[in-house]
């Protein structure tokens, strides 16, 4: 599947050349409906300016939306489009209101383009939200603006969103997952109430000048219909903080790749020491060890990590853990007379404006 391969549009120029070579060799060995033995994708294309190509792409997408209509949407949210015939009275994709056409603006400073990405929300979904740095379990179909299909998988597949074309990471998080149901029978597992939609991607948020197969010409705007069945939140640096939370809360809609709190050149979601105080983030987010006496000996038991934010209520079934406590800030209570260290106040764990201690270079072990 094309989308399971590393995206090609965000690599630096040296890595890109290396991967193009490896990618070409890989395609030769794969058995894919898009590439026969006598067909080898041509990667020798002239690189175009992103703003110029985007203008052409947007014009093509606009024409498609104005000249095509939704011919069917079945009970499982499989959607098909068709061209409005001469004299036809069908409402265009843009004009129809059963599934109102929406768009999202995506600023890409590298390209120097503020992309307008159209999408249809067939159903939002009812379960979990996801983010551009999570993994998703989706069924999908990919087509060109000629309506030629180049990829399809009704059986859901797991994808890491940052490892596929950039448009997926922008649109799929606007939907929610479904509910996993089990029932007796030969096919006991099903998903219901999943998010389903369609995205219309300019080539700058797809493969741009690359040709991942002979079925996708360079500079092709792409149409993807998809069903978001499930998702997994990821922790890229394994520091106990989900990657989707590794953003600056004071900046709306910031992407994890753009947040580097200590200015060391490594985004926080890849950085094992987010505040540069030489203490690993996962140490600063650990709960204190539980202390118990066994046969007269003091026993320390690991107590896991604080969640990013605490729960609304404490779970009475876990008397040793207060689930309302999120990652604390530097303690602000009175000093402990024995250790001389500050003691915590309840607000240190719950204040929504607190600077969590793994982001505070003046807060480091030992704590209280």
């Amino acid at each position: 599947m094309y989308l399971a391969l590393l995206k090609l549009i965000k690599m630096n120029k040296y890595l890109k050349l290396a991967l193009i070579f490896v990618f070409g060799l890989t395609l030769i060995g794969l058995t894919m409906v898009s590439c026969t033995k006598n067909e080898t994708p041509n990667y020798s294309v002239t690189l175009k300016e992103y703003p110029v190509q985007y203008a052409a792409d947007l014009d093509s997408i606009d024409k498609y939306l104005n000249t095509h209509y939704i011919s069917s949407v079945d009970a499982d949210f499989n959607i098909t489009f068709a061209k409005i015939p001469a004299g036809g009275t069908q409402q265009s994709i843009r004009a129809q209101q059963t599934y109102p056409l929406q768009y999202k603006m995506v600023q890409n400073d590298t390209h120097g383009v503020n992309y307008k990405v159209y999408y249809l929300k067939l159903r939002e979904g009812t379960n979990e939200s996801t983010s551009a740095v999570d993994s998703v379990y989706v069924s999908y179909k990919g087509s060109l603006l000629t309506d030629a299909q180049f990829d399809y998988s009704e059986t859901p597949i797991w994808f890491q969103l940052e490892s596929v074309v950039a448009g997926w990471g922008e649109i799929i998080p606007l939907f929610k997952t479904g509910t996993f149901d089990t029932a007796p029978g030969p096919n006991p597992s099903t998903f219901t109430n999943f998010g389903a939609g369609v995205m219309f991607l300019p080539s700058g948020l797809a493969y741009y000048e690359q040709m991942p197969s002979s079925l996708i010409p360079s500079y092709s705007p792409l149409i993807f219909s998809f069903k978001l069945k499930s998702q997994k939140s990821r922790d890229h640096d394994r520091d106990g903080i989900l990657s989707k939370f590794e953003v600056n809360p004071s900046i709306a809609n910031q992407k994890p790749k753009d947040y580097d709190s200590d200015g060391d050149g490594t985004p926080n979601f890849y950085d094992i020491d987010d505040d540069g105080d030489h203490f690993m983030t996962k140490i600063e987010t650990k709960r204190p060890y539980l202390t118990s006496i066994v046969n007269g000996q003091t026993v320390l038991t690991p107590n896991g990590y604080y969640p990013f934010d605490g729960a609304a209520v404490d779970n009475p079934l876990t008397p040793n853990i207060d689930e309302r406590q999120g990652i604390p800030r530097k303690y602000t209570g009175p000093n402990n007379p024995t250790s001389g260290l500050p003691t915590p106040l309840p607000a240190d764990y719950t204040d929504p404006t607190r600077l969590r201690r793994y982001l505070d270079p003046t807060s480091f072990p030992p704590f209280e």
Side-chain angles (χ1 to χ4, degrees), residues 315-350:
N315 184 353
L317 300 179
T318 55
N320 294 318
I321 300 176
D322 185 348
E323 279 78 14
R324 295 170 297 181
Q325 294 181 339
I327 299 172
R329 63 187 170 196
K330 189 175 183 178
Y331 294 152
T332 59
N335 286 356
N336 184 310
T338 302
S339 66
L341 296 171
T343 57
L345 297 178
D348 292 337
Y349 298 95
T350 59

Side-chain angles (χ1 to χ4, degrees), residues 159-218:
F159 294 113
Q160 297 175 358
L161 276 179
E162 79 270 20
S163 297
V164 293
V165 294
W168 277 47
E170 300 293 343
I171 300 302
I172 287 184
L174 302 176
F175 295 75
K176 296 180 180 179
T177 65
T179 302
F180 183 72
D181 300 320
T182 58
N187 298 303
S189 302
T190 58
F191 287 90
T192 57
N193 300 316
F194 50 83
V198 185
M199 65 182 89
F200 302 85
L201 300 183
S203 63
L205 296 179
Y207 293 107
Y208 205 54
E209 86 279 12
Q210 303 299 328
M211 295 175 62
S213 88
S214 60
L215 295 181
I216 305 178
S218 58

Side-chain angles (χ1 to χ4, degrees), residues 282-333:
K282 67 180 181 181
I283 293 176
E284 298 189 83
T285 58
K286 277 187 176 180
R287 289 193 180 100
Y289 283 87
L290 294 175
T291 302
S292 58
I293 305 298
V294 179
N295 298 325
Q297 300 292 322
T298 300
V299 177
L300 299 178
T301 305
N303 199 18
Y305 296 89
Y306 289 107
F308 184 77
D309 281 320
V313 297
D314 188 21
N315 184 353
L317 300 179
T318 55
N320 294 318
I321 300 176
D322 185 348
E323 279 78 14
R324 295 170 297 181
Q325 294 181 339
I327 299 172
R329 63 187 170 196
K330 189 175 183 178
Y331 294 152
T332 59

Side-chain angles (χ1 to χ4, degrees), residues 237-241 271-275 277-289 304-306 327-328 331 357-359 363-367:
D237 52 7
R238 301 183 182 181
D239 62 0
I241 303 169
D271 196 342
I272 63 174
D273 176 15
D274 291 333
D275 56 5
D277 62 0
H278 305 295
F279 288 92
M280 294 176 68
T281 298
K282 67 180 181 181
I283 293 176
E284 298 189 83
T285 58
K286 277 187 176 180
R287 289 193 180 100
Y289 283 87
Y305 296 89
Y306 289 107
I327 299 172
Y331 294 152
R357 65 190 185 194
Y358 72 92
L359 295 174
S363 178
F364 44 79
F367 301 111

